[in-house]
Amino acid sequence: MHPLAAPLLAGSRRALAQAITLAESTRPEHEAQAQALLSEVLPHAGGSVRVGLSGVPGVGKSTFIESLGVWLAGQGHKVAVLAVDPSSQRTGGSIMGDKTRMPQLTVHPNAFIRPSPAGGNLGGVTRRTREAITLCEAAGYGVVLVETVGVGQSETQVAAMTDLFVLLTLHGAGDELQGIKRGIMELADLCVVNKADSDPAAASRAQAELNSALHLLTPRGAIWQPRAVQASALTGAGVQGVWEAVQEYRTVMAEHLAGKRQAQTLGWFDDLLREAVWRGFLGGQDAARLQATRASVLAGELTPVQGVGQLLSRA
Ligand code: GDP
């Protein structure tokens, strides 16, 4: 048994932090140890509510997580906050999941906050976040919040590793849906119009508009109808209502959540395999054949389908 396994399963925050650091390491010997540890604790994982949370910078994500997290932790829930932020690769530091952004939650004994792993591509960051979810669950965290910025590919990745995806939005003048990408709306199980305190009437209008947009986007026969609610992360109004909606989602989806998680795990496995096979081609002895086949496809000597067929039939 890995030495971190017992303290981790006993709920030690220190062991959890060390285990995540081990899983984030790119050194081959650490990778092997981390995988051994993960497979040991895997039977003890899976017991959390996994919530993805996104929204553009400034929408109030950290204020919201602080408010919801402190309330949940006060109720006795163990709350973990993880961040997916591939931009930390460029800035060298994380713009999200920074402990100073959630001062009360950070010091709460029932909470664990971990910034986004620095460095690596989105695939690397999401892999480490998935593994961190497993480790948090093994350490007894019953609520795992995975936060991401509201730009780019990271939402899709976070939606693919959580039970439900919450999109934080703002009310504004005119077209309320302006600026929210349709693709991101399609991922949302719940939209929260934040900062409702600053203009309650505008917040209600935004909520109504979002509700009809969500209705149109939802395929017929869907088990869960995504909906919009309003909240003020600053005053705390409506924050409990968001949690009630999360609970309702879990009740409605009760018979389907296990299947959703299985599909997510298999999807991730397939992604990893695809990546590994591709890397094998690029780096292995097939690299020259790959380049030659690409050239033939570009020159029109082979169709793309013929090219793939030729590469894969190792004559
Ligand atoms: P993030 O970038 O999405 O994490 O946003 P922050 O949580 O840092 O919030 C950005 C700014 O909006 C801060 O100045 C917050 O105090 C403010 N803010 C967040 N939530 C609310 C809210 O519900 N009402 C009001 N009036 N301000 C808020």
Side-chain angles (χ1 to χ4, degrees):
M1 209 170 173
H2 193 281
L4 282 175
L8 178 76
L9 292 174
S12 155
R13 283 212 288 189
R14 197 176 137 80
L16 174 58
Q18 286 173 339
I20 295 177
T21 302
L22 186 67
E24 285 176 357
S25 170
T26 48
R27 286 173 56 182
E29 70 271 26
H30 287 169
E31 205 160 298
Q33 284 177 33
Q35 295 307 314
L37 174 63
L38 279 160
S39 66
E40 269 169 28
V41 303
L42 203 55
H44 305 277
S48 81
V49 187
R50 302 171 184 168
V51 181
L53 200 123
S54 183
V56 294
V59 71
K61 291 182 297 300
S62 36
T63 313
F64 181 82
I65 292 173
E66 167 98 336
S67 177
L68 178 65
V70 166
W71 178 69
L72 286 171
Q75 306 257 307
H77 292 282
K78 284 183 74 178
V79 181
V81 180
L82 305 171
V84 171
D85 177 13
S87 68
S88 59
Q89 168 194 7
R90 269 178 277 119
T91 57
S94 180
I95 58 159
M96 291 169 35
D98 180 347
K99 294 188 179 197
T100 57
R101 294 162 71 230
M102 301 162 195
Q104 288 184 58
L105 193 58
T106 301
V107 296
H108 201 292
N110 281 348
F112 177 84
I113 299 179
R114 183 80 178 192
S116 185
N121 53 17
L122 180 59
V125 173
T126 54
R127 167 182 152 186
R128 285 170 179 90
T129 307
R130 282 177 185 270
E131 291 173 343
I133 293 176
T134 299
L135 294 168
C136 289
E137 290 179 345
Y141 286 80
V143 179
V144 179
L145 301 173
V146 185
E147 177 193 10
T148 191
V149 274
V151 283
Q153 263 296 100
S154 56
E155 283 84 4
T156 314
Q157 298 290 332
V158 170
M161 65 176 85
T162 49
D163 298 333
L164 89 164
F165 188 76
V166 179
L167 179 67
L168 252 61
T169 65
L170 292 172
H171 56 78
D175 180 5
E176 307 297 358
L177 301 179
Q178 217 176 13
I180 303 179
K181 294 194 198 84
R182 185 192 157 107
I184 293 176
M185 281 273 290
E186 280 171 348
L187 295 174
D189 298 298
L190 202 59
C191 280
V192 179
V193 180
N194 192 35
K195 307 196 185 182
D197 58 289
S198 66
D199 189 342
S204 295
R205 275 199 307 276
Q207 184 185 4
E209 255 190 63
L210 280 166
N211 267 325
S212 41
L214 288 167
H215 203 77
L216 288 174
L217 281 175
T218 309
R220 201 180 294 211
I223 298 150
W224 171 256
Q225 169 60 56
R227 76 162 82 124
V229 296
Q230 40 176 302
S232 166
L234 202 62
T235 67
V239 172
Q240 288 182 32
V242 173
W243 190 248
E244 281 158 19
V246 170
Q247 298 295 42
E248 193 185 328
Y249 173 88
R250 282 167 51 79
T251 306
V252 170
M253 291 290 288
E255 285 166 27
H256 305 274
L257 265 185
K260 179 170 177 171
R261 285 185 174 188
Q262 280 177 352
Q264 288 177 333
T265 304
L266 276 186
W268 185 40
F269 169 80
D270 290 350
D271 283 349
L272 286 176
L273 181 61
R274 214 173 287 124
E275 232 175 77
V277 169
W278 182 244
R279 260 204 318 273
F281 252 118
L282 288 179
Q285 45 184 288
D286 290 314
R289 289 180 61 216
L290 175 63
Q291 291 313 328
T293 310
R294 280 179 151 172
S296 301
V297 168
L298 272 187
E301 295 157 11
L302 289 173
T303 69
V305 173
Q306 284 172 329
V308 171
Q310 207 174 78
L311 263 181
L312 293 184
S313 64
R314 292 155 197 274

